[in-house]
PDB file of all heavy atoms in Angstrom:
ATOM      1  N   THR A  25    -174.878 161.003-115.043  1.00 82.00           N
ATOM      2  CA  THR A  25    -175.310 162.048-114.115  1.00 82.00           C
ATOM      3  C   THR A  25    -176.614 162.684-114.560  1.00 82.00           C
ATOM      4  O   THR A  25    -177.535 162.891-113.764  1.00 82.00           O
ATOM      5  CB  THR A  25    -174.205 163.136-114.004  1.00 82.00           C
ATOM      6  OG1 THR A  25    -172.997 162.515-113.564  1.00 82.00           O
ATOM      7  CG2 THR A  25    -174.641 164.206-112.994  1.00 82.00           C
ATOM      8  N   ILE A  28    -179.490 160.222-113.893  1.00 85.00           N
ATOM      9  CA  ILE A  28    -179.895 160.156-112.480  1.00 85.00           C
ATOM     10  C   ILE A  28    -180.656 161.399-112.080  1.00 85.00           C
ATOM     11  O   ILE A  28    -181.657 161.352-111.360  1.00 85.00           O
ATOM     12  CB  ILE A  28    -178.633 159.961-111.613  1.00 85.00           C
ATOM     13  CG1 ILE A  28    -178.036 158.570-111.842  1.00 85.00           C
ATOM     14  CG2 ILE A  28    -178.975 160.130-110.120  1.00 85.00           C
ATOM     15  CD1 ILE A  28    -176.732 158.327-111.144  1.00 85.00           C
ATOM     16  N   LEU A  38    -193.513 162.459-109.101  1.00 90.00           N
ATOM     17  CA  LEU A  38    -194.542 161.439-108.879  1.00 90.00           C
ATOM     18  C   LEU A  38    -194.970 161.390-107.418  1.00 90.00           C
ATOM     19  O   LEU A  38    -196.161 161.298-107.104  1.00 90.00           O
ATOM     20  CB  LEU A  38    -194.031 160.077-109.319  1.00 90.00           C
ATOM     21  CG  LEU A  38    -193.955 159.827-110.829  1.00 90.00           C
ATOM     22  CD1 LEU A  38    -193.267 158.505-111.107  1.00 90.00           C
ATOM     23  CD2 LEU A  38    -195.330 159.851-111.459  1.00 90.00           C
ATOM     24  N   LEU A  58    -199.259 158.684-109.223  1.00 90.00           N
ATOM     25  CA  LEU A  58    -199.060 157.599-108.272  1.00 90.00           C
ATOM     26  C   LEU A  58    -200.104 157.628-107.176  1.00 90.00           C
ATOM     27  O   LEU A  58    -200.641 156.591-106.777  1.00 90.00           O
ATOM     28  CB  LEU A  58    -197.649 157.701-107.678  1.00 90.00           C
ATOM     29  CG  LEU A  58    -197.276 156.664-106.608  1.00 90.00           C
ATOM     30  CD1 LEU A  58    -197.259 155.264-107.219  1.00 90.00           C
ATOM     31  CD2 LEU A  58    -195.919 157.016-105.975  1.00 90.00           C
ATOM     32  N   ALA A  71    -191.632 158.148 -93.515  1.00 96.00           N
ATOM     33  CA  ALA A  71    -190.200 157.816 -93.668  1.00 96.00           C
ATOM     34  C   ALA A  71    -189.401 158.494 -92.551  1.00 96.00           C
ATOM     35  O   ALA A  71    -188.453 157.885 -91.999  1.00 96.00           O
ATOM     36  CB  ALA A  71    -189.701 158.239 -95.037  1.00 96.00           C
ATOM     37  N   LEU A  90    -187.525 150.712 -94.197  1.00 94.00           N
ATOM     38  CA  LEU A  90    -186.714 151.726 -94.929  1.00 94.00           C
ATOM     39  C   LEU A  90    -185.791 151.062 -95.932  1.00 94.00           C
ATOM     40  O   LEU A  90    -185.661 151.517 -97.078  1.00 94.00           O
ATOM     41  CB  LEU A  90    -185.900 152.543 -93.940  1.00 94.00           C
ATOM     42  CG  LEU A  90    -186.695 153.578 -93.108  1.00 94.00           C
ATOM     43  CD1 LEU A  90    -185.761 154.258 -92.111  1.00 94.00           C
ATOM     44  CD2 LEU A  90    -187.324 154.638 -94.029  1.00 94.00           C
ATOM     45  N   LEU A  92    -186.051 148.092 -97.390  1.00 94.00           N
ATOM     46  CA  LEU A  92    -186.792 147.488 -98.503  1.00 94.00           C
ATOM     47  C   LEU A  92    -187.318 148.556 -99.466  1.00 94.00           C
ATOM     48  O   LEU A  92    -187.291 148.416-100.684  1.00 94.00           O
ATOM     49  CB  LEU A  92    -187.953 146.656 -97.959  1.00 94.00           C
ATOM     50  CG  LEU A  92    -187.561 145.345 -97.262  1.00 94.00           C
ATOM     51  CD1 LEU A  92    -188.800 144.674 -96.695  1.00 94.00           C
ATOM     52  CD2 LEU A  92    -186.817 144.418 -98.203  1.00 94.00           C
ATOM     53  N   THR A  93    -187.822 149.659 -98.897  1.00 94.00           N
ATOM     54  CA  THR A  93    -188.330 150.738 -99.734  1.00 94.00           C
ATOM     55  C   THR A  93    -187.208 151.342-100.584  1.00 94.00           C
ATOM     56  O   THR A  93    -187.362 151.558-101.789  1.00 94.00           O
ATOM     57  CB  THR A  93    -188.981 151.834 -98.885  1.00 94.00           C
ATOM     58  OG1 THR A  93    -190.008 151.274 -98.087  1.00 94.00           O
ATOM     59  CG2 THR A  93    -189.591 152.928 -99.749  1.00 94.00           C
ATOM     60  N   LEU A 119    -196.882 152.856 -99.261  1.00 94.00           N
ATOM     61  CA  LEU A 119    -198.160 153.052 -98.559  1.00 94.00           C
ATOM     62  C   LEU A 119    -198.010 152.715 -97.075  1.00 94.00           C
ATOM     63  O   LEU A 119    -198.693 153.317 -96.243  1.00 94.00           O
ATOM     64  CB  LEU A 119    -199.234 152.187 -99.202  1.00 94.00           C
ATOM     65  CG  LEU A 119    -199.674 152.608-100.605  1.00 94.00           C
ATOM     66  CD1 LEU A 119    -200.676 151.606-101.175  1.00 94.00           C
ATOM     67  CD2 LEU A 119    -200.263 154.022-100.579  1.00 94.00           C
ATOM     68  N   LEU A 121    -195.338 153.346 -95.320  1.00 95.00           N
ATOM     69  CA  LEU A 121    -194.768 154.572 -94.745  1.00 95.00           C
ATOM     70  C   LEU A 121    -195.835 155.655 -94.625  1.00 95.00           C
ATOM     71  O   LEU A 121    -195.862 156.390 -93.627  1.00 95.00           O
ATOM     72  CB  LEU A 121    -193.614 155.061 -95.596  1.00 95.00           C
ATOM     73  CG  LEU A 121    -192.377 154.151 -95.668  1.00 95.00           C
ATOM     74  CD1 LEU A 121    -191.321 154.760 -96.582  1.00 95.00           C
ATOM     75  CD2 LEU A 121    -191.815 153.906 -94.282  1.00 95.00           C
ATOM     76  N   ALA A 137    -205.758 166.831 -78.118  1.00 89.00           N
ATOM     77  CA  ALA A 137    -207.103 166.768 -77.568  1.00 89.00           C
ATOM     78  C   ALA A 137    -207.072 166.274 -76.117  1.00 89.00           C
ATOM     79  O   ALA A 137    -207.869 166.721 -75.278  1.00 89.00           O
ATOM     80  CB  ALA A 137    -207.972 165.847 -78.427  1.00 89.00           C
ATOM     81  N   ARG A 170    -212.644 156.529-111.749  1.00 75.00           N
ATOM     82  CA  ARG A 170    -213.755 157.071-112.552  1.00 75.00           C
ATOM     83  C   ARG A 170    -213.287 158.128-113.545  1.00 75.00           C
ATOM     84  O   ARG A 170    -214.047 158.472-114.463  1.00 75.00           O
ATOM     85  CB  ARG A 170    -214.819 157.635-111.647  1.00 75.00           C
ATOM     86  CG  ARG A 170    -215.561 156.579-110.803  1.00 75.00           C
ATOM     87  CD  ARG A 170    -216.497 157.221-109.826  1.00 75.00           C
ATOM     88  NE  ARG A 170    -217.194 156.230-109.015  1.00 75.00           N
ATOM     89  CZ  ARG A 170    -218.000 156.509-108.006  1.00 75.00           C
ATOM     90  NH1 ARG A 170    -218.172 157.771-107.661  1.00 75.00           N
ATOM     91  NH2 ARG A 170    -218.583 155.550-107.336  1.00 75.00           N
ATOM     92  N   ALA A 189    -199.765 157.485-145.447  1.00 88.00           N
ATOM     93  CA  ALA A 189    -199.799 156.234-146.206  1.00 88.00           C
ATOM     94  C   ALA A 189    -200.361 156.449-147.600  1.00 88.00           C
ATOM     95  O   ALA A 189    -199.973 155.747-148.543  1.00 88.00           O
ATOM     96  CB  ALA A 189    -200.635 155.197-145.453  1.00 88.00           C
ATOM     97  N   THR A 193    -194.244 156.528-150.866  1.00 85.00           N
ATOM     98  CA  THR A 193    -193.566 155.928-152.014  1.00 85.00           C
ATOM     99  C   THR A 193    -193.063 154.540-151.627  1.00 85.00           C
ATOM    100  O   THR A 193    -193.307 154.031-150.542  1.00 85.00           O
ATOM    101  CB  THR A 193    -192.386 156.814-152.443  1.00 85.00           C
ATOM    102  OG1 THR A 193    -191.419 156.830-151.386  1.00 85.00           O
ATOM    103  CG2 THR A 193    -192.869 158.246-152.701  1.00 85.00           C
ATOM    104  N   ASP A 202    -189.740 159.530-129.476  1.00 86.00           N
ATOM    105  CA  ASP A 202    -188.933 160.169-128.448  1.00 86.00           C
ATOM    106  C   ASP A 202    -188.033 159.128-127.820  1.00 86.00           C
ATOM    107  O   ASP A 202    -188.505 158.118-127.307  1.00 86.00           O
ATOM    108  CB  ASP A 202    -189.853 160.804-127.405  1.00 86.00           C
ATOM    109  CG  ASP A 202    -189.108 161.467-126.255  1.00 86.00           C
ATOM    110  OD1 ASP A 202    -187.878 161.610-126.365  1.00 86.00           O
ATOM    111  OD2 ASP A 202    -189.757 161.818-125.263  1.00 86.00           O
ATOM    112  N   TYR A 217    -200.273 150.851-133.246  1.00 82.00           N
ATOM    113  CA  TYR A 217    -200.376 151.260-134.649  1.00 82.00           C
ATOM    114  C   TYR A 217    -200.745 150.095-135.542  1.00 82.00           C
ATOM    115  O   TYR A 217    -201.457 150.254-136.539  1.00 82.00           O
ATOM    116  CB  TYR A 217    -199.044 151.870-135.119  1.00 82.00           C
ATOM    117  CG  TYR A 217    -198.640 153.122-134.399  1.00 82.00           C
ATOM    118  CD1 TYR A 217    -197.338 153.315-133.994  1.00 82.00           C
ATOM    119  CD2 TYR A 217    -199.575 154.110-134.096  1.00 82.00           C
ATOM    120  CE1 TYR A 217    -196.963 154.461-133.314  1.00 82.00           C
ATOM    121  CE2 TYR A 217    -199.211 155.240-133.417  1.00 82.00           C
ATOM    122  CZ  TYR A 217    -197.899 155.399-133.033  1.00 82.00           C
ATOM    123  OH  TYR A 217    -197.526 156.539-132.338  1.00 82.00           O
ATOM    124  N   ARG A 237    -194.580 142.555-141.697  1.00 70.00           N
ATOM    125  CA  ARG A 237    -195.923 142.155-141.281  1.00 70.00           C
ATOM    126  C   ARG A 237    -196.941 142.993-142.009  1.00 70.00           C
ATOM    127  O   ARG A 237    -196.958 144.222-141.835  1.00 70.00           O
ATOM    128  CB  ARG A 237    -196.071 142.298-139.768  1.00 70.00           C
ATOM    129  CG  ARG A 237    -195.068 141.469-138.975  1.00 70.00           C
ATOM    130  CD  ARG A 237    -195.272 141.605-137.481  1.00 70.00           C
ATOM    131  NE  ARG A 237    -194.278 140.865-136.726  1.00 70.00           N
ATOM    132  CZ  ARG A 237    -194.254 140.754-135.422  1.00 70.00           C
ATOM    133  NH1 ARG A 237    -195.173 141.388-134.713  1.00 70.00           N
ATOM    134  NH2 ARG A 237    -193.312 140.073-134.830  1.00 70.00           N
ATOM    135  N   ALA A 255    -177.880 157.520-136.663  1.00 87.00           N
ATOM    136  CA  ALA A 255    -176.566 158.016-136.261  1.00 87.00           C
ATOM    137  C   ALA A 255    -175.462 157.021-136.629  1.00 87.00           C
ATOM    138  O   ALA A 255    -174.328 157.410-136.900  1.00 87.00           O
ATOM    139  CB  ALA A 255    -176.561 158.281-134.765  1.00 87.00           C
ATOM    140  N   ALA A 273    -188.602 164.643-130.533  1.00 91.00           N
ATOM    141  CA  ALA A 273    -187.424 164.176-131.260  1.00 91.00           C
ATOM    142  C   ALA A 273    -187.176 164.950-132.543  1.00 91.00           C
ATOM    143  O   ALA A 273    -186.225 164.655-133.274  1.00 91.00           O
ATOM    144  CB  ALA A 273    -187.544 162.691-131.560  1.00 91.00           C
ATOM    145  N   THR A 276    -183.591 166.882-133.030  1.00 91.00           N
ATOM    146  CA  THR A 276    -182.461 165.955-133.209  1.00 91.00           C
ATOM    147  C   THR A 276    -182.510 165.300-134.578  1.00 91.00           C
ATOM    148  O   THR A 276    -181.490 165.174-135.267  1.00 91.00           O
ATOM    149  CB  THR A 276    -182.481 164.866-132.123  1.00 91.00           C
ATOM    150  OG1 THR A 276    -182.423 165.483-130.833  1.00 91.00           O
ATOM    151  CG2 THR A 276    -181.325 163.918-132.291  1.00 91.00           C
ATOM    152  N   VAL A 293    -194.510 166.071-138.517  1.00 93.00           N
ATOM    153  CA  VAL A 293    -194.441 166.096-137.047  1.00 93.00           C
ATOM    154  C   VAL A 293    -195.784 165.588-136.501  1.00 93.00           C
ATOM    155  O   VAL A 293    -196.844 166.118-136.826  1.00 93.00           O
ATOM    156  CB  VAL A 293    -194.134 167.514-136.527  1.00 93.00           C
ATOM    157  CG1 VAL A 293    -194.058 167.507-135.009  1.00 93.00           C
ATOM    158  CG2 VAL A 293    -192.836 168.026-137.134  1.00 93.00           C
ATOM    159  N   LEU A 294    -195.718 164.577-135.681  1.00 91.00           N
ATOM    160  CA  LEU A 294    -196.921 163.976-135.100  1.00 91.00           C
ATOM    161  C   LEU A 294    -197.482 164.875-133.986  1.00 91.00           C
ATOM    162  O   LEU A 294    -196.734 165.610-133.326  1.00 91.00           O
ATOM    163  CB  LEU A 294    -196.611 162.606-134.515  1.00 91.00           C
ATOM    164  CG  LEU A 294    -196.099 161.579-135.542  1.00 91.00           C
ATOM    165  CD1 LEU A 294    -195.649 160.300-134.825  1.00 91.00           C
ATOM    166  CD2 LEU A 294    -197.180 161.247-136.551  1.00 91.00           C
TER     167      LEU A 294
END
Side-chain angles (χ1 to χ4, degrees):
T25 302
I28 292 173
L38 286 173
L58 177 65
L90 287 176
L92 290 176
T93 304
L119 291 176
L121 295 179
R170 293 174 180 174
T193 65
D202 177 11
Y217 297 137
R237 301 182 182 182
T276 302
V293 181
L294 299 172

